């Protein structure tokens, strides 16, 4: 299903979104995923988690972070070629229209991609944007470009990580799984560090909204706990089915949680 910000425009059907086989942006997108799938390893994720997990490198407000995203175009997105700040407001507005009674949900739409500011502070886009996947176990076929972009990833040749579960136990729960490092995990850490007063569903949505192989294709269920399955509808429905997004800043007034 299309993101709320990607409702079909005249002349473009829903089925044309997230097209990774053709399109004017395909070369850019493929190059980003090739670098991502070459360098996202268990060791890399652990290093980035240690580097950013303390949330001690910079302090800014949410609005300052949103303004910074005026400078960022997501190189992994095959559908849009405009700054990510627009996407944040579109998503929040689409959710507000579809779910006017859930103000916390509107806020999640605005916040969900703020972690992409990492790409403006020295991180390459392949370490920030794009769909996420578990490292430390066999890559599933639904991972974007899985058949042609992992051949130089050292973990793909490591027997510890080559089985379905790899270094994990069956049904260990996604909270115990190392996901490829990027804006999802970083923003989740920021939310936890700042004690955001939001329901558990909000934290799940931010942390796993780019985990399309799980919530869109049904892969990696062998790693999920009962709690993950309970939260799955909040991955399938919210950020991807809210619909009706408007271009504009209709949800800009629901902020003021500090970002450190």
């Amino acid at each position: 299903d299309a993101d709320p910000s990607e409702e079909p425009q005249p002349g473009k059907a829903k089925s044309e979104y997230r097209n990774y086989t053709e399109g004017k942006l395909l070369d850019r997108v493929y190059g980003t995923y090739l670098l991502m799938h070459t360098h996202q390893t268990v060791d890399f994720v652990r290093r980035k988690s240690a580097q950013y997990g303390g949330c001690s490198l910079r302090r800014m407000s949410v609005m300052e972070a949103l303004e910074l995203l005026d400078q960022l175009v997501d190189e992994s997105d095959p559908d849009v070629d405009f700054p990510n700040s627009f996407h944040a407001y579109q998503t929040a507005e689409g959710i507000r229209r579809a779910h006017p009674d859930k103000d916390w949900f509107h806020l999640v739409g605005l916040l969900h991609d703020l972690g992409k500011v990492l790409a403006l502070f020295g991180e390459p886009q392949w370490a920030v944007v794009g769909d996420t996947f578990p490292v430390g176990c066999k890559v599933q076929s639904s991972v974007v470009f899985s058949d042609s972009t992992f051949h130089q990833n050292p973990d793909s040749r490591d027997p510890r990580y080559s089985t379905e579960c790899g270094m994990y136990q069956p049904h260990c729960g996604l909270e115990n799984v190392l996901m490829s490092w990027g804006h999802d995990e970083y923003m989740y850490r920021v939310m936890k560090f700042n004690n955001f007063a939001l329901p558990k569903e909000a934290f799940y949505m931010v942390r796993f909204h780019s985990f399309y192989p799980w919530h869109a294709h049904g892969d990696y269920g062998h790693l999920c706990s009962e709690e993950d399955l309970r939260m799955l509808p909040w991955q399938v429905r919210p950020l991807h089915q809210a619909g009706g997004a408007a271009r504009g800043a209709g949800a800009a007034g629901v902020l003021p949680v500090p970002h450190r």
Side-chain angles (χ1 to χ4, degrees):
D1 287 330
D3 216 326
S5 64
E6 300 163 1
E7 281 299 290
Q9 301 168 0
K12 188 168 184 176
K14 274 190 177 183
S15 59
E16 295 182 73
Y17 287 96
R18 290 183 57 80
N19 183 339
Y20 294 99
T21 59
E22 59 184 1
K24 64 179 182 179
L25 303 176
L26 185 61
D27 288 345
R28 182 192 76 181
V29 173
Y30 183 84
T32 301
Y33 275 102
L34 178 61
L35 290 169
M36 179 197 304
H37 294 166
T38 298
H39 299 295
Q40 289 274 4
T41 63
V42 170
D43 287 344
F44 176 80
V45 171
R46 286 173 172 163
R47 282 190 281 112
K48 290 303 172 183
S49 296
Q51 180 180 354
Y52 292 109
C55 298
S56 60
L57 300 179
R58 188 178 296 266
R59 182 186 179 97
M60 71 180 70
S61 71
V62 167
M63 290 308 298
E64 287 171 332
L66 276 169
E67 290 169 1
L68 284 174
L69 291 183
D70 287 344
Q71 307 171 39
L72 180 70
V73 174
D74 186 333
E75 295 177 357
S76 72
D77 195 324
D79 301 311
V80 298
D81 200 21
F82 51 76
N84 229 97
S85 53
F86 295 179
H87 171 72
Y89 286 118
Q90 287 178 327
T91 303
E93 178 63 14
I95 292 170
R96 184 190 66 79
R97 290 186 174 188
H99 303 277
D101 59 323
K102 293 182 174 64
D103 57 354
W104 65 267
F105 190 2
H106 315 162
L107 180 57
V108 171
L110 197 67
L111 296 174
H112 77 286
D113 273 352
L114 284 192
K116 291 180 182 179
V117 296
L118 288 179
L120 302 173
F121 298 127
E123 290 293 343
Q125 286 218 16
W126 61 260
V128 178
V129 302
D131 291 3
T132 57
F133 60 96
V135 296
C137 63
K138 183 179 178 181
V139 175
Q140 301 295 298
S141 61
S142 62
V143 174
V144 174
F145 302 125
S146 61
D147 59 344
S148 63
T149 52
F150 282 92
H151 54 284
Q152 294 187 51
N153 185 305
D155 284 2
S156 67
R157 300 185 294 275
D158 191 321
R160 294 174 298 173
Y161 309 138
S162 60
T163 63
E164 291 291 305
C165 286
M167 66 182 194
Y168 310 110
Q169 294 298 315
H171 305 294
C172 61
L174 294 180
E175 65 179 344
N176 297 308
V177 170
L178 288 180
M179 299 297 296
S180 54
W181 179 258
H183 68 283
D184 308 59
E185 184 67 22
Y186 173 62
M187 190 60 198
Y188 168 76
R189 301 288 185 94
V190 169
M191 291 168 66
K192 294 282 285 187
F193 180 80
N194 286 285
N195 297 314
F196 277 29
L198 292 170
K200 187 172 185 178
E201 288 82 357
F203 289 85
Y204 247 82
M205 290 161 68
V206 169
R207 193 175 198 180
F208 299 116
H209 73 268
S210 299
F211 190 11
Y212 278 87
W214 175 48
H215 59 66
H217 300 287
D219 279 340
Y220 295 102
H222 57 285
L223 300 178
C224 294
S225 66
E226 289 297 322
E227 180 70 355
D228 297 326
L229 298 180
R230 188 177 75 82
M231 289 289 178
L232 182 57
W234 284 98
Q235 299 302 319
V236 174
R237 177 167 58 88
L239 292 177
H240 310 278
Q241 293 181 341
R247 294 185 65 123
V254 295
L255 270 166
V257 198
H259 176 98
R260 292 177 183 160

